[in-house]
Amino acid sequence: MKHLFLCLAIIATVSCSKTESSPVIPPPEEEAIKFTTSPDNAVGTVTTSNDTLGVLINISSKLPTAGVNFSIEVKNTDNNNSVMKLDSSSMNNSFRVKVNSLFIKGNYTLDIKITSKNKSTNTSSQAIKIIKTLKSSYDIFSASQWLPMPNGFASFAQFDYNRDGAIDVLEFQGYDLRIPYTWPGPNFYKNNGTSLVMDNSVTINNKRIFAEEIINGDFDNDGYIDAFLLTGMDGAGCGNCKEELIPMYLLKNNKGTGFSVDSLNFKGVWEAGASADIDGDSDLDIIAFSLHHEYAEGLINRTFINDGKGNFSYKANDIDTIRWVDHAQLIDMNKDGFPDLVINNVPTGNYYSNRLSILWNNKSGGFSYANSIDINVPNDLYFIQLLAHDLDGDGFKELVLPMLDFNGKAQVLIYRTTDNKSYTNSTNTIIPNNQISLTPQVIGPFSISDIDGNGFIDLFVIDKNKNQRWEWTGSSFLKK
């Protein structure tokens, strides 16, 4: 019996001891949130000409067990307006966010805040400064998509006129020289994500316009892409005149719903030109060349300087007296931050002879032959287009030149440089199968971009109906 009482006493003692001295174990201390971004604020201000910016966020600390909440806000610091807000969460150490609404040129701040879901006081913030610049006409053109174009076009341009994220089309139909021109005006095609559909909702206040070439840019900095028309055309319906001398026009985009036509009142035969910020004042200027001075005697080429609101004034330039220019592009060839002028000009009127030249920007918007280089190209070929792209990633842009011969056959020539001084015809090694299996009348413009998203650059006729494409293999273009 004594033994039984002793056991009960021991059990009671142990039981009491457990109840009274059981320790409370606190949860482990959560590691402080730390993260990096790409692009990051360590490199200073991020400069972009795109309307969107992808930001990769990497959480470098231990991820909280419940994950994190994150908030993104983008402010235009020029007017303190918030243009984007995003609140979301993640269970991953690394995730990507897409910053939208960088439509207006100017200064922006991207604020990122990440907070532990377990502990609201465990939070960290970073800010990235962004400068949004305007895209040149060549940048916009280079973003062309491989889309089936409507039949019978004389000229077209691809750009997102309604700002819905899909590239649309502005087009002028061809015409019959044997009958008077009736000025039907342009056609607009909306990209619905799978095809182009005629967009009759777009209004335009003047249809007596035509474009041999369309130059795009946000000329008035309202966040919507406008269209500048180089209006050289044959004398259809012009009676006895050699050419229909009509002005250049600016089509100002009315928030994606229509276009207002504004004439620059310089009459001529304008068939080559480009747009970029040539004088470094952060707006888009325009260079236009008058083709064939014998058609419009006394008229000269024009450099138009933008006041930042889409109003242009003529500025005398050394290029004014260049006699005949077939094609022109403004491209920063030497990576000094200023667009250079790449032109095919015909130096003599006695016969067609090629001279491909790069006129280096003097960093105040001026171009001259005194500051230029010439590139020898065959005289038995006509230019279809001037393109430039750093294909091999060596920091120097190759010249990619779709061309025609006098027999109506087309091919692509590619010239390479390693010093921005001399260019070598490298067609045989870079694009050995360089023939274009189309008649010249139906080819249309080319572009260079990764149209299939596989990480390799494509050279292609923009009109997908033509089915002309080459893909970069890392050392050369392969015909597809």
Side-chain angles (χ1 to χ4, degrees):
M1 195 68 172
K2 273 186 179 182
H3 182 68
L4 177 59
F5 287 144
L6 179 59
C7 289
L8 290 173
I10 292 172
I11 292 171
T13 301
V14 171
S15 177
C16 290
S17 174
K18 282 185 178 180
T19 302
E20 292 173 1
S21 61
S22 178
V24 177
I25 302 174
E29 186 66 24
E30 190 172 77
E31 188 174 341
I33 293 286
K34 295 179 183 178
F35 70 94
T36 61
T37 64
S38 178
D40 61 38
N41 55 3
V43 299
T45 302
V46 176
T47 300
T48 181
S49 62
N50 293 321
D51 298 335
T52 61
L53 178 68
V55 179
L56 179 65
I57 298 175
N58 290 295
I59 299 175
S60 52
S61 57
K62 186 176 180 181
L63 184 70
T65 56
V68 296
N69 294 317
F70 63 89
S71 63
I72 306 287
E73 184 174 14
V74 182
K75 284 186 177 179
N76 184 329
T77 54
D78 295 330
N79 53 28
N80 204 34
N81 287 340
S82 179
V83 299
M84 175 189 167
K85 287 185 177 180
L86 172 66
D87 292 298
S88 189
S89 61
S90 178
M91 288 291 296
N92 299 313
N93 283 93
S94 179
F95 51 92
R96 185 178 293 275
V97 294
K98 187 176 183 180
V99 175
N100 298 310
S101 304
L102 300 175
F103 297 113
I104 307 293
K105 76 173 183 183
N107 299 286
Y108 294 81
T109 297
L110 167 61
D111 292 310
I112 305 173
K113 184 177 181 180
I114 297 183
T115 304
S116 168
K117 282 187 174 183
N118 294 329
K119 188 178 180 182
S120 61
T121 56
N122 186 10
T123 187
S124 181
S125 301
Q126 289 189 32
I128 301 174
K129 292 183 178 179
I130 303 170
I131 294 178
K132 164 65 191 300
T133 60
L134 297 178
K135 281 189 176 182
S136 70
S137 58
Y138 187 75
D139 290 335
I140 295 173
F141 174 81
S142 297
S144 296
Q145 294 184 1
W146 207 25
L147 295 172
M149 292 297 114
N151 290 326
F153 59 81
S155 61
F156 67 84
Q158 291 189 347
F159 63 106
D160 182 9
Y161 61 72
N162 54 13
R163 224 166 70 175
D164 64 354
I167 294 181
D168 312 302
V169 171
L170 162 64
E171 173 232 36
F172 286 88
Q173 283 281 310
Y175 53 87
D176 189 340
L177 285 171
R178 298 167 296 181
I179 59 176
Y181 192 61
T182 57
W183 304 100
N187 294 320
F188 296 89
Y189 294 87
K190 182 178 179 179
N191 188 340
N192 63 12
T194 57
S195 61
L196 294 172
V197 180
M198 181 77 80
D199 189 353
N200 293 317
S201 68
V202 179
T203 61
I204 189 164
N205 64 339
N206 180 7
K207 288 190 174 183
R208 198 180 192 278
I209 56 177
F210 183 80
E212 183 74 20
E213 183 174 350
I214 304 168
I215 301 172
N216 290 116
D218 183 5
F219 298 112
D220 53 3
N221 191 38
D222 66 350
Y224 288 87
I225 302 298
D226 309 301
F228 189 88
L229 308 185
L230 298 178
T231 51
M233 65 184 301
D234 297 299
C238 189
N240 294 322
C241 66
K242 289 184 179 180
E243 291 280 329
E244 178 79 8
L245 300 183
I246 56 178
M248 290 175 281
Y249 292 99
L250 175 61
L251 273 59
K252 290 187 175 180
N253 192 331
N254 298 326
K255 297 184 178 180
T257 62
F259 290 83
S260 299
V261 180
D262 185 15
S263 168
L264 265 67
N265 292 320
F266 287 98
K267 291 187 176 182
V269 187
W270 311 100
E271 293 193 359
S275 175
D277 179 13
I278 65 174
D279 54 1
D281 65 352
S282 299
D283 52 38
L284 297 176
D285 311 299
I286 292 171
I287 290 181
F289 289 94
S290 179
L291 176 67
H292 300 294
H293 280 195
E294 61 267 28
Y295 288 146
E297 208 167 323
L299 296 175
I300 58 176
N301 311 313
R302 301 284 178 180
T303 299
F304 294 106
I305 301 300
N306 194 346
D307 67 354
K309 299 178 181 178
N311 303 307
F312 295 92
S313 58
Y314 163 64
K315 177 184 177 182
N317 202 311
D318 285 351
I319 68 166
D320 289 356
T321 55
I322 297 175
R323 187 178 177 282
W324 177 359
V325 171
D326 268 344
H327 298 276
Q329 291 289 1
L330 286 166
I331 307 170
D332 186 2
M333 297 294 292
N334 57 5
K335 298 177 68 174
D336 66 352
F338 288 84
D340 306 299
L341 179 58
V342 185
I343 58 174
N344 160 233
N345 64 100
V346 181
T348 175
N350 297 327
Y351 57 92
Y352 186 87
S353 60
N354 285 326
R355 182 167 68 183
L356 179 62
S357 303
I358 301 176
L359 282 63
W360 307 108
N361 194 320
N362 67 5
K363 299 187 179 180
S364 62
F367 304 95
S368 70
Y369 271 116
N371 182 29
S372 70
I373 62 170
D374 291 334
I375 299 157
N376 293 323
V377 292
N379 270 337
D380 58 347
L381 296 173
Y382 292 104
F383 282 82
I384 298 175
Q385 211 165 348
L386 301 175
L387 301 171
H389 196 90
D390 183 6
L391 300 171
D392 51 14
D394 65 352
F396 297 95
K397 291 184 174 73
E398 283 75 34
L399 287 166
V400 181
L401 311 172
M403 306 188 83
L404 301 172
D405 63 22
F406 289 104
N407 296 317
K409 294 183 179 179
Q411 58 183 288
V412 179
L413 301 183
I414 298 182
Y415 286 72
R416 171 177 276 163
T417 184
T418 57
D419 56 9
N420 287 325
K421 296 177 182 178
S422 61
Y423 285 76
T424 303
N425 188 342
S426 302
T427 303
N428 290 339
T429 56
I430 296 182
I431 185 166
N433 185 2
N434 72 330
Q435 299 300 306
I436 303 168
S437 55
L438 289 172
T439 58
Q441 293 80 9
V442 299
I443 293 176
F446 286 69
S447 188
I448 303 178
S449 66
D450 179 13
I451 56 169
D452 51 5
N454 66 350
F456 295 97
I457 292 296
D458 299 282
L459 169 65
F460 57 99
V461 175
I462 295 173
D463 184 359
K464 194 173 182 179
N465 294 323
K466 306 303 187 291
N467 195 29
Q468 297 291 302
R469 180 170 74 95
W470 293 258
E471 188 170 77
W472 184 248
T473 65
S475 59
S476 64
F477 277 114
L478 179 66
K479 188 74 176 284
K480 293 292 184 178

